[in-house]
Amino acid sequence: MKKQRLNKVAYCLFIFLIQSKVTAHAESFDAAFLSEGEGAEVDLSSFSRSDILPGKYIFDIFVNENYKANEEVIFKDNEAKVQPCISLQKLSSFGLDLTKISEKKLNQKSCFEYQQIKDLGVEVDTAKQTLSISIPQAYLNKDVRGYIDKSRWDNGITSAYMNYYLTGYYNSYHGDNANSVSANVLLGANFNEWRYRSNLFVSDFSDSPKLNITNNYLYKVIPSIESKIKIGELHSSGKIFSSNSYDGIQLATYDNLLPQSQRGFAPVIKGIAKSNALVTVKQGGNTIYKTSVQPGPFEIDDLYSTGSSGDLHIEIKEEDNSISSFIVPYSSLPSLQRAGHIGYEVNVGKLKNTEHLSDGLFLDSNTYYGLNNTFTIYNAVQLNNNYKALSLGIAANIGEFGALSVNTAYAKSKFQNWDSEGVSTSVLYSKSLMTTGMTVNLAGYRYSSKGYYDLSDVINEDNTNIRGNNKKARENITINQSLGKYGSLYTNYYKQTYWDGSKENNCMVGYNASIKNITFGLSYSNVKSDNKYSSNDKVISFNASMPIYYKDAKNSLSSSYVSYSADSNLSGDVSHRASFSGSLLEDKTLQYSASTRLNSGDFSGNVNLNYASRLAEYNIGYSKNKDSQSVNYSMKGGMILHEGGLTLGKNIGDTSMLVSTNGAANVPLFNQRNVVTDKKGYAIVSFARPYQENSIEIDVDKLDDNIEIAKSVKKVVPTDGAISKVSFDLKKGAKALINVKYQGKWLPFGSSVIDENDDQASIVGDEGKIYLSGLQEKQSYQIQWGRDKSCRLNIELNNLNEGRIYYGQADCI
């Protein structure tokens, strides 16, 4: 009875020690209290210095209460206690400004130099697996929100990859059959910071195959100038002048290199605090930013870009809880830049499809500069022997009146038999009226004189006389009006007129709303054109959708959707369509839809199935009406060639991740649709966000019993176009609970179990109990206790009792 009681005391003490925190003063504990008499030793020497033993552990790291990383931390003996090994180099990556801490030269790679920093605190919570670092504000770099240290950027592995999309179509119309099979392939290769991309398209496999290779180019991001360079078959952006295809070089600013809070346009907020205050920024009733400021003037220049418009409401809460507030009107346009920011693009090369031009060489460039919080100026140049154009513009955030930009361009064109010159002026406007819920997303007007042409007009010139067919004026406007709980109204209007008198009109108005789980919409559109493809289509449409909830095989809530829509051309013709869609199987890997349509007495129907396997995505559809029937099918997927072999998967994004699980097969990834590792232990996770933190997590709930993992979540920051390799250290092998003796006595309670890699594998419990995982047929461990006592434990599974967990006794020699 006494022995049983002492066992419980020992276990309680062990749990208490593991769940406590590292403190500045270690408590002493008389180990004799746990002694069970002759032969029962207890070694608490390590715990008397700290509640954690020397070794490597996975911890969440916080700096000033902000999460920074989840990574391995080494704990080492440092005189009287065990401490985490944190170098100044590591602290620098967490935001410590080394120039501010001391004039004394410190060894940045040493583990314990951080103790020399005054007021810097380090706290370890073993229960929560957290390492909290407190750095005085005066020692920190002033990093904007969303900043990620460049040391975390990952250029990825040397690799090649391919995306493929195979599609086929069969149609039978009144006995006439038609087949079509084609393939679209994207090729990519990565070497260090360089990327290669190319597109291949093969059409009409079944008849006369044609191969078309396009968009061959190399590119590289240049962080030092926040730009990207491309070489090969390219397209100019068309931000100001028309977009054109060419062979050459493009150098342009690349905003993805910037922290998210520096991308796009957002105003700088300036104010004055009377005391240590909390500043809150709201937009549309939602809090979008909070920060603490010291007494005196303050400036907020790291707001995230928050859409095209919406006034900002700023509240300053002082120490005495008094609140003052003011409003910063905010509207934006694509041309607006943050104060001091420069954006540019330069295209140099030879234009494509320009056989009739005297020279295909051209230059296309544009530059944007944010003068201040209000004005942005920009210009563009487009040059060719047959075409010369210059554009100047200014954009302004004009406060409560919205955002406005004005741009004027001059162009001189040389056609085969005649020359022309002219000007074009455009105006864009954006404004949000938060009090009424109305948003003028974009309103624009452009007028071009009779002699103004785009470079694309000169390139596309044919034998016809195009003088009278160039663009004259264009009007467009998009307005949204929120009605709160009653839904929203919207309207889109577009009109283009030409100098030959022809014009195009496109107008749509609509209403969207929802009642409980039912969403519905009503719209009217009018498309009118009096050019050579003259048409006049007026359509009124209604649509509604409703989910049907049900419990799936795992008793979790899932849903399918039923939808109905009707269209009428206002001439008595009405088309009705009803559909049903949803998903089945684990992880919703099988998606289905079925629909019927009734149009002027003509009934048609179609069904479609989409299945996402581990290696590819398959689609098949069938449709039929009174005159024809058709079948369409497709298959798409991707593959990566790397040093570990060839890995198959679904379509690969331009920036992706290759997961490695140390050879463990069939390891599922959390929150990824049917993605598991192959027999070599690899899996592909597509569509990563470049220069942002991407989390990859092993689904531990679905792991086999013979697999254990110390760290199931990893974070990676890939650069643009990279394929980042994310490796997890999984231990695949047996688990065992063994009672171990040394020289006829149980191993001391609290002894350390060290594996062949000098890592802490376990701690000895009561009666020499050791829990081990990842065991192979034969394994060896070093058992250490006291200051210089140790023994060797050799384990053979054949000598233990087999079960879900092996068990038995062993001797340490």
Side-chain angles (χ1 to χ4, degrees):
M1 189 65 132
K2 176 183 178 183
K3 180 178 180 180
Q4 207 173 23
R5 182 170 174 268
L6 283 174
N7 287 347
K8 293 180 180 179
V9 172
Y11 279 125
C12 289
L13 175 63
F14 182 70
I15 292 171
F16 167 76
L17 289 169
I18 291 298
Q19 291 187 343
S20 63
K21 295 184 179 180
V22 174
T23 56
H25 305 286
E27 302 291 339
S28 80
F29 183 83
D30 187 359
F33 176 77
L34 298 178
S35 174
E36 300 176 32
E38 185 179 355
E41 298 184 46
V42 175
D43 177 37
L44 297 180
S45 58
S46 296
F47 292 110
S48 67
R49 302 193 305 276
S50 173
D51 72 335
I52 193 167
L53 299 177
K56 301 175 184 177
Y57 304 89
I58 303 298
F59 273 78
D60 285 327
I61 300 176
F62 292 82
V63 175
N64 294 350
E65 299 183 357
N66 295 313
Y67 175 83
K68 288 293 182 180
N70 176 269
E71 59 186 41
E72 186 177 76
V73 179
I74 300 174
F75 285 79
K76 291 186 176 181
D77 270 313
N78 182 32
E79 297 177 354
K81 56 185 176 181
V82 178
Q83 288 187 319
C85 174
I86 308 173
S87 66
L88 291 179
Q89 192 176 53
K90 175 62 70 174
L91 289 174
S92 176
S93 71
F94 290 153
L96 175 65
D97 189 342
L98 298 181
T99 65
K100 297 179 180 179
I101 59 173
S102 174
E103 296 180 359
K104 178 183 177 181
K105 292 185 178 179
L106 302 176
N107 183 356
Q108 293 189 23
K109 296 184 179 180
S110 173
C111 286
F112 304 109
E113 292 286 359
Y114 70 82
Q115 292 181 335
Q116 301 182 31
I117 304 174
K118 184 180 179 181
D119 298 326
L120 185 143
V122 177
E123 185 179 82
V124 177
D125 189 332
T126 54
K128 296 180 179 179
Q129 291 288 99
T130 58
L131 174 65
S132 299
I133 304 171
S134 175
I135 301 177
Q137 199 74 23
Y139 296 159
L140 286 174
N141 288 312
K142 188 183 183 301
D143 293 330
V144 297
R145 286 195 304 160
Y147 172 79
I148 295 178
D149 191 87
K150 293 180 180 180
S151 64
R152 296 186 59 196
W153 291 2
D154 179 23
N155 282 319
I157 59 176
T158 298
S159 58
Y161 75 89
M162 179 180 78
N163 277 335
Y164 60 88
Y165 179 54
L166 306 175
T167 180
Y169 176 79
Y170 168 81
N171 182 64
S172 176
Y173 181 78
H174 290 301
D176 293 331
N177 299 329
N179 274 304
S180 175
V181 181
S182 61
N184 194 12
V185 177
L186 169 67
L187 297 177
N190 294 352
F191 179 73
N192 290 334
E193 299 175 0
W194 283 98
R195 317 285 186 237
Y196 167 73
R197 301 293 185 261
S198 178
N199 273 99
L200 284 73
F201 182 74
V202 182
S203 61
D204 299 328
F205 272 109
S206 56
D207 188 10
S208 54
K210 298 178 182 178
L211 175 63
N212 188 22
I213 303 175
T214 60
N215 296 332
N216 285 284
Y217 64 92
L218 282 166
Y219 78 87
K220 176 186 178 181
V221 173
I222 309 175
S224 59
I225 57 174
E226 297 177 350
S227 301
K228 179 190 288 188
I229 186 170
K230 291 184 178 182
I231 306 171
E233 298 180 88
L234 307 171
H235 303 269
S236 57
S237 66
K239 289 182 178 179
I240 298 177
F241 292 120
S242 61
S243 175
N244 296 281
S245 303
Y246 70 98
D247 295 323
I249 300 175
Q250 180 187 87
L251 181 66
T253 49
Y254 184 53
D255 284 348
N256 279 352
L257 284 166
L258 301 173
Q260 280 191 308
S261 61
Q262 297 298 296
R263 301 176 192 174
F265 175 77
V268 175
I269 297 174
K270 297 181 179 181
I272 298 176
K274 301 175 183 177
S275 61
N276 291 307
L278 177 66
V279 178
T280 301
V281 181
K282 296 182 179 181
Q283 185 180 47
N286 300 313
T287 299
I288 62 172
Y289 185 91
K290 274 189 178 183
T291 189
S292 298
V293 297
Q294 296 179 346
F298 65 85
E299 183 175 287
I300 298 172
D301 60 359
D302 59 349
L303 287 177
Y304 291 148
S305 181
T306 55
S308 61
S309 55
D311 293 346
L312 304 177
H313 294 255
I314 292 84
E315 291 183 355
I316 305 173
K317 186 175 183 179
E318 306 287 353
E319 286 180 325
D320 60 1
N321 291 327
S322 63
I323 297 176
S324 60
S325 64
F326 60 94
I327 294 176
V328 174
Y330 168 56
S331 295
S332 181
L333 288 169
S335 52
L336 278 172
Q337 304 289 306
R338 291 177 187 258
H341 183 261
I342 298 176
Y344 69 91
E345 177 187 320
V346 180
N347 302 274
V348 179
K350 185 172 183 179
L351 294 163
K352 287 181 172 292
N353 305 316
T354 56
E355 293 79 7
H356 65 278
L357 295 185
S358 59
D359 188 353
L361 295 177
F362 98 122
L363 166 70
D364 182 312
S365 71
N366 58 72
T367 306
Y368 294 80
Y369 177 64
L371 285 173
N372 48 39
N373 205 32
T374 302
F375 294 105
T376 295
I377 56 174
Y378 57 96
N379 75 311
V381 175
Q382 207 170 54
L383 299 176
N384 173 264
N385 275 350
N386 293 66
Y387 188 82
K388 295 175 178 62
L390 172 66
S391 174
L392 297 173
I394 185 168
N397 172 26
I398 48 180
E400 59 182 323
F401 298 105
L404 180 73
S405 71
V406 180
N407 173 67
T408 298
Y410 165 81
K412 184 174 183 179
S413 308
K414 183 178 181 180
F415 293 91
Q416 295 184 45
N417 302 314
W418 52 283
D419 296 342
S420 179
E421 60 181 311
V423 294
S424 177
T425 300
S426 63
V427 179
L428 293 177
Y429 176 76
S430 174
K431 173 60 180 171
S432 177
L433 303 173
M434 301 299 290
T435 54
T436 64
M438 176 180 288
T439 302
V440 181
N441 288 340
L442 192 66
Y445 178 80
R446 176 175 179 174
Y447 177 84
S448 302
S449 68
K450 195 171 185 178
Y452 183 87
Y453 290 90
D454 291 329
L455 176 58
S456 58
D457 294 326
V458 178
I459 295 173
N460 297 328
E461 180 189 14
D462 54 28
N463 294 325
T464 61
N465 188 336
I466 65 173
R467 295 190 193 193
N469 197 33
N470 55 326
K471 298 172 182 177
K472 180 179 180 182
R474 183 186 67 198
E475 306 165 30
N476 61 280
I477 185 168
T478 300
I479 299 176
N480 290 282
Q481 174 66 62
S482 173
L483 303 176
K485 64 180 180 180
Y486 299 107
S488 63
L489 291 167
Y490 64 90
T491 181
N492 301 315
Y493 173 75
Y494 169 82
K495 181 180 180 180
Q496 176 73 63
T497 59
Y498 298 84
W499 278 103
D500 66 353
S502 62
K503 59 181 177 293
E504 300 168 0
N505 286 279
N506 188 345
C507 178
M508 174 179 284
V509 294
Y511 170 73
N512 291 321
S514 62
I515 300 176
K516 294 185 177 179
N517 292 327
I518 302 175
T519 61
F520 61 91
L522 182 67
S523 67
Y524 168 78
S525 65
N526 184 356
V527 178
K528 185 177 181 180
S529 174
D530 57 6
N531 55 27
K532 60 181 179 179
Y533 306 108
S534 63
S535 63
N536 190 358
D537 297 325
K538 298 179 180 180
V539 178
I540 185 168
S541 302
F542 171 79
N543 65 83
S545 178
M546 180 181 70
I548 299 176
Y549 296 105
Y550 62 93
K551 293 290 184 67
D552 61 18
K554 290 192 173 183
N555 203 36
S556 60
L557 195 63
S558 298
S559 62
S560 295
Y561 289 86
V562 291
S563 303
Y564 169 78
S565 64
D567 303 318
S568 173
N569 60 8
L570 303 184
S571 298
D573 296 329
V574 180
S575 173
H576 302 271
R577 184 176 183 271
S579 64
F580 179 74
S581 61
S583 55
L584 297 170
L585 305 182
E586 188 175 6
D587 294 330
K588 311 295 186 290
T589 53
L590 179 62
Q591 297 181 345
Y592 61 87
S593 65
S595 65
T596 60
R597 181 172 180 171
L598 182 63
N599 185 15
S600 301
D602 182 12
F603 176 83
S604 63
N606 65 71
V607 293
N608 193 81
L609 292 175
N610 178 278
Y611 176 67
S613 74
R614 297 178 179 182
L615 303 180
E617 190 172 325
Y618 308 90
N619 189 87
I620 186 169
Y622 173 76
S623 62
K624 179 177 173 53
N625 59 36
K626 68 177 183 178
D627 295 318
S628 66
Q629 58 181 343
S630 63
V631 176
N632 63 82
Y633 49 91
S634 66
M635 172 184 176
K636 62 180 179 180
M639 57 188 72
I640 298 176
L641 180 64
H642 52 96
E643 62 179 2
L646 184 67
T647 302
L648 305 180
K650 301 185 183 73
N651 260 32
I652 301 164
D654 191 55
T655 304
S656 300
M657 291 170 284
L658 179 69
V659 176
S660 173
T661 54
N662 199 22
N666 297 317
V667 175
L669 301 183
F670 181 74
N671 208 25
Q672 297 289 332
R673 189 181 174 204
N674 201 14
V675 177
V676 300
T677 57
D678 61 16
K679 62 182 180 181
K680 294 183 180 179
Y682 292 102
I684 298 172
V685 176
S686 297
F687 307 107
R689 297 168 300 167
Y691 304 101
Q692 295 186 51
E693 199 172 67
N694 296 262
S695 295
I696 296 295
E697 182 175 355
I698 300 295
D699 195 340
V700 294
D701 293 334
K702 297 179 181 178
L703 283 178
D704 294 338
D705 288 339
N706 64 342
I707 295 179
E708 279 203 356
I709 181 171
K711 182 179 180 180
S712 62
V713 180
K714 288 202 172 182
K715 299 179 185 292
V716 63
V717 183
T719 57
D720 182 58
I723 295 178
S724 293
K725 186 176 180 180
V726 185
S727 299
F728 290 90
D729 186 17
L730 275 73
K731 290 185 178 180
K732 188 173 184 179
K735 302 173 184 177
L737 187 63
I738 310 170
N739 295 76
V740 183
K741 287 187 175 183
Y742 173 68
Q743 296 181 352
K745 303 177 183 178
W746 298 123
L747 280 175
F749 175 87
S751 301
S752 298
V753 182
I754 310 299
D755 65 17
E756 295 172 340
N757 297 320
D758 291 329
D759 290 332
Q760 180 94 20
S762 187
I763 298 175
V764 177
D766 189 36
E767 292 185 342
K769 286 188 177 70
I770 301 176
Y771 172 77
L772 297 167
S773 61
L775 293 172
Q776 309 305 314
E777 291 297 324
K778 295 182 179 180
Q779 203 109 351
S780 182
Y781 295 90
Q782 185 83 9
I783 313 297
Q784 299 175 351
W785 68 96
R787 292 198 175 269
D788 55 2
K789 295 182 180 180
S790 65
C791 63
R792 172 68 57 179
L793 174 62
N794 298 311
I795 297 175
E796 293 188 25
L797 295 182
N798 292 334
N799 296 332
L800 299 175
N801 299 309
E802 186 174 359
R804 185 176 180 183
I805 296 181
Y806 283 82
Y807 62 96
Q809 294 188 8
D811 291 319
C812 193
I813 56 176

